Amino acid sequence: MPLPITAAVLLDGSDRLTLTDVLLDDPLDREVVVRTEHVGLCHSDVHYVEGSLGIDRPAVLGHEVAGIVEAVGAQVSRVRVGQRVVATVTPSCGQCPHCLAGRPTQCSRVAEVRARPRPRFALPDGTPVQALADMGAFGEAFLASEDSLAIVPDDVPSVVACLLGCCVTTGVGAVVHGAQVRSEDTVAVIGCGGVGIAALQGARLAGARRIVALDSQPAKLEVARRFGATDTLLSQGDPADVVRRLHDLVPGGVSHAIEAVGNPATAALAFDLLAPAGTATVLGLMPEGRTIGIPADALVYGDRRIQGAYMGANRFLSDVDMFVDHYRSGRLDLDGMVTEVLPFDQIDEGLRRMRDPGTIRVVLRVGAGAA
Ligand SMILES: [Zn+2]
Ligand SMILES: [Zn+2]
């Protein structure tokens, strides 16, 4: 029997989310029904609401989510009813060459993992409703494949556990897995939103000796110092001037630059900040068709590199265990990243508050008893 729930739906022709009744389908053999506790508001959700990224409508957005397993399909073996879980947008098969090589975010069978013969959600009149990231977490419950869920211990509350699903995975992952930063490294992080703050924390966890935060808003730089930035740099105006000022702080440039904005100009800036033999790691998502312009001589003569790190090149299941241990020991500050918790019915207000420069993450409390 489909489960009647309330979800925030992006309707045709609307630039806001509408709370409405939808039906959640029964789980397939390898699927899990998760009762949502907390869900974070991520900038990619905003891009879909504003239309800069496209999705068929009506649609349920939301993907940075923690909740409690409510029901499982017949072949689910790894998670049990009652466990707290966090979901990833990068499920993986665990068996293809990319998965076996430790790059599950590049899983070549992800389409099979995500495949579903019928829609996850429908309006009461039967109209199918799309689900962002094959999940759709802006609702009281959602369906996810078992492969996209990691178990979170009870002592990690869902209000912070949800961050592990997107911004922490992406930001820390880009530093630890993508860039593989070490204690001798100097790191610049461009963009101090949720992902950038997580990248700063990743650089701190990795023991980088200098961590320079760059943002175009002064208020974000103040925030960055609380999460590991040893230096800050206002990245306004001529990029050549930004590079000069970075060289004043770190003579010769940094060994690693992390781009957490999702813009070709800041990706090129990341490359320009590098010392010889340095690596720029770009994790910000960009629409199809964009190109990044970098100086060829600096690339070749300077042995510099530029690379992607989609969703932080994460290894979700083992990463969540790592994050939990660092959180418990106080080395990973998740509580400080949640700058606002709002009830689910204030989701539109939450999307507005994301624009406040002091905001790192707005999290919505969905379940009545959510921890
Ligand atoms: Zn996200
Ligand atoms: Zn795979």
Side-chain angles (χ1 to χ4, degrees):
M1 282 288 289
L3 180 68
I5 61 163
T6 301
V9 180
L10 182 63
L11 296 170
D12 240 346
S14 175
D15 60 356
R16 56 189 298 273
L17 300 172
T18 305
L19 287 195
T20 187
D21 295 336
V22 299
L23 295 169
L24 182 69
D25 196 24
D26 293 322
L28 302 178
D29 282 353
R30 299 213 54 236
E31 283 183 339
V32 176
V33 178
V34 180
R35 184 61 70 166
T36 310
E37 290 189 296
H38 284 94
V39 58
L41 301 182
C42 174
H43 282 279
S44 52
D45 295 312
V46 177
H47 289 312
Y48 288 102
V49 175
E50 292 175 345
S52 48
L53 289 173
I55 187 167
D56 289 340
R57 301 182 183 204
V60 179
L61 309 177
H63 59 280
E64 190 174 84
V65 61
I68 301 290
V69 174
E70 178 154 304
V72 297
Q75 290 177 28
V76 167
S77 59
R78 199 168 48 76
V79 304
R80 290 193 312 274
V81 170
Q83 285 179 320
R84 176 169 291 145
V85 289
V86 56
T88 179
V89 303
T90 54
S92 53
C93 76
Q95 295 165 20
C96 74
H98 292 298
C99 283
L100 293 172
R103 297 303 292 252
T105 53
Q106 300 300 324
C107 176
S108 52
R109 291 173 57 199
V110 70
E112 283 170 58
V113 172
R114 295 176 184 280
R116 198 167 206 283
R118 50 183 198 267
R120 288 167 171 76
F121 298 105
L123 296 177
D125 67 2
T127 305
V129 178
Q130 300 300 311
L132 178 62
D134 297 302
M135 190 188 316
F138 286 161
E140 292 173 319
F142 64 95
L143 275 170
S145 88
E146 179 182 25
D147 298 315
S148 62
L149 297 174
I151 297 160
V152 178
D154 289 339
D155 63 322
V156 181
S158 64
V159 67
V160 294
C162 63
L163 305 185
L164 304 181
C166 182
C167 64
V168 170
T169 291
T170 306
V172 179
V175 173
V176 172
H177 300 311
Q180 301 189 354
V181 166
R182 299 184 298 182
S183 59
E184 70 220 47
D185 284 319
T186 53
V187 178
V189 174
I190 305 174
C192 297
V195 175
I197 292 291
L200 291 169
Q201 295 210 64
R204 182 170 61 182
L205 281 171
R209 63 192 164 115
R210 295 285 293 281
I211 305 170
V212 186
L214 291 90
D215 201 285
S216 57
Q217 299 185 66
K220 294 241 183 244
L221 296 179
E222 286 305 308
V223 171
R225 288 198 178 269
R226 301 207 308 268
F227 294 92
T230 59
D231 305 85
T232 59
L233 188 55
L234 196 61
S235 59
Q236 289 177 345
D238 179 8
D241 180 52
V242 176
V243 173
R244 270 193 296 277
R245 286 186 284 124
L246 184 281
H247 280 233
D248 290 341
L249 289 171
V250 185
V254 292
S255 51
H256 282 282
I258 311 290
E259 197 270 359
V261 178
N263 184 302
T266 40
L269 175 63
F271 185 83
D272 291 340
L273 298 177
L274 295 176
T279 301
T281 301
V282 180
L283 60 86
L285 301 181
M286 297 182 216
E288 254 180 71
R290 299 291 175 89
T291 55
I292 298 166
I294 55 167
D297 62 334
L299 178 83
V300 178
Y301 292 113
D303 289 356
R304 293 178 176 85
R305 296 190 293 176
I306 183 166
Q307 63 178 4
Y310 172 58
M311 292 304 291
N314 73 72
R315 300 157 194 177
F316 191 63
L317 299 187
S318 56
D319 282 355
V320 167
D321 289 345
M322 167 178 71
F323 298 145
V324 165
D325 280 339
H326 286 313
Y327 172 68
R328 283 170 165 163
S329 66
R331 289 190 296 263
L332 178 64
D333 179 2
L334 300 178
D335 301 271
M337 291 180 70
V338 179
T339 42
E340 193 134 30
V341 182
L342 294 174
F344 183 43
D345 60 5
Q346 289 186 33
I347 188 166
D348 270 309
E349 175 61 21
L351 293 170
R352 272 191 293 280
R353 297 217 189 152
M354 288 173 73
R355 297 193 194 106
D356 177 348
T359 296
I360 303 172
R361 251 340 186 226
V362 178
V363 171
L364 302 175
R365 183 177 55 250
V366 183

